[in-house]
Amino acid sequence: MAARPYLLPDDPGAPFPPASQALREPDGLLAVGGDLSPGRLLAAYRGGIFPWYSRDQPILWWSPDPRMVFRTDAVHLSSRLRRELRRSRWCIRADTAFDAVLAACAETPRPGQRGTWITPEMRLAYARLHRLGHAHSVEVLDGDGQLVGGIYGVAIGRMFFGESMFSAQPGGSKVALAALARQLDGWGWPLLDAQVENPHLYTLGGETWPRARFLESVEKLVGQRGRDGSWTAAFGTLQASTLTVATAC
């Protein structure tokens, strides 16, 4: 691994290197070190960069090429799941259980994955961003009000950077993603970042974009007027059964 620029934790205003300088192997590694202060994190996302590291590593900053994204008008659910949702009592809300979604994303076992990259330090950092109105969650609740799925991420301008999602019941994370995309599309937010390509995300309509195309779109969208603060009222309560209409692929 080639040496990467080292960011000092006592200088949160130090700029990141241009994302175009990220390594090809490992794909997207851009910088090491720094901190997870709100200013540092928001600067990273504005530049198409995100943190991703394990407990035994320093903070690692990434901007992979290609980048996995969703066009918010093109997230789709399988016909089987849509049939199941027609009789579902699930509903979807936003920013009513951010800490619970964050904890579930960190603690839910995932096939082929040992442990989690959402360390206690990361959880504190994103909880802080949520309190400042920059990080948001979408929660899927069953008829008894129990959390069955969710997603969280960071919003800057009219760009949403997805971080993680989970399912406590089959389809929970898919419903959270589809509901988030529908709301973002309705607000005029065209793009949802999914970071790293994943076969599962392709089945939901995910696309891979060259990093240069992604960065060009991010630069435009983060400069537009967005929605800081709680999304609870603006999002409202969405019935999962309303997601049964197929969207364009």
Side-chain angles (χ1 to χ4, degrees), residues 121-230:
E121 182 183 26
M122 293 278 272
R123 289 169 68 165
L124 286 172
Y126 286 95
R128 188 183 305 121
L129 274 187
H130 174 65
R131 292 194 297 271
L132 293 172
H134 303 299
H136 304 278
S137 61
V138 170
E139 306 97 26
V140 183
L141 307 170
D142 67 13
D144 298 317
Q146 298 299 307
L147 196 61
V148 298
I151 185 172
Y152 79 94
V154 175
I156 304 176
R158 292 194 177 189
M159 181 70 203
F160 192 89
F161 302 90
E163 273 297 319
S164 186
M165 57 186 183
F166 83 98
S167 292
Q169 292 188 25
S173 63
K174 297 176 183 179
V175 169
L177 175 66
L180 171 60
R182 174 177 289 191
Q183 187 61 273
L184 294 176
D185 182 45
W187 289 344
W189 299 33
L191 204 61
L192 193 164
D193 176 32
Q195 297 183 346
V196 180
E197 59 182 315
N198 178 313
H200 169 65
L201 298 181
Y202 281 116
T203 68
L204 297 170
E207 306 173 2
T208 49
W209 286 13
R211 181 170 55 216
R213 179 187 177 189
F214 173 76
L215 295 176
E216 182 180 2
S217 295
V218 167
E219 184 178 9
K220 294 176 182 177
L221 292 170
V222 298
Q224 298 177 16
R225 184 175 181 179
R227 289 180 178 269
D228 291 339
S230 173

Side-chain angles (χ1 to χ4, degrees), residues 17-40:
S20 60
Q21 294 181 9
L23 294 178
R24 294 300 307 172
E25 183 60 41
D27 180 28
L29 180 61
L30 179 68
V32 179
D35 59 64
L36 298 176
S37 65
R40 175 85 74 185

Side-chain angles (χ1 to χ4, degrees), residues 49-71:
I49 303 160
F50 59 89
W52 187 24
Y53 64 101
S54 301
R55 287 175 183 264
D56 58 347
Q57 295 176 316
I59 300 173
L60 303 176
W61 301 91
W62 303 81
S63 185
D65 187 12
R67 187 76 161 230
M68 175 137 261
V69 301
F70 287 95
R71 289 179 289 115

Side-chain angles (χ1 to χ4, degrees), residues 66-83:
R67 187 76 161 230
M68 175 137 261
V69 301
F70 287 95
R71 289 179 289 115
T72 58
D73 64 352
V75 174
H76 54 83
L77 302 175
S78 70
S79 56
R80 177 180 178 181
L81 180 54
R82 285 188 278 112
R83 285 196 301 271

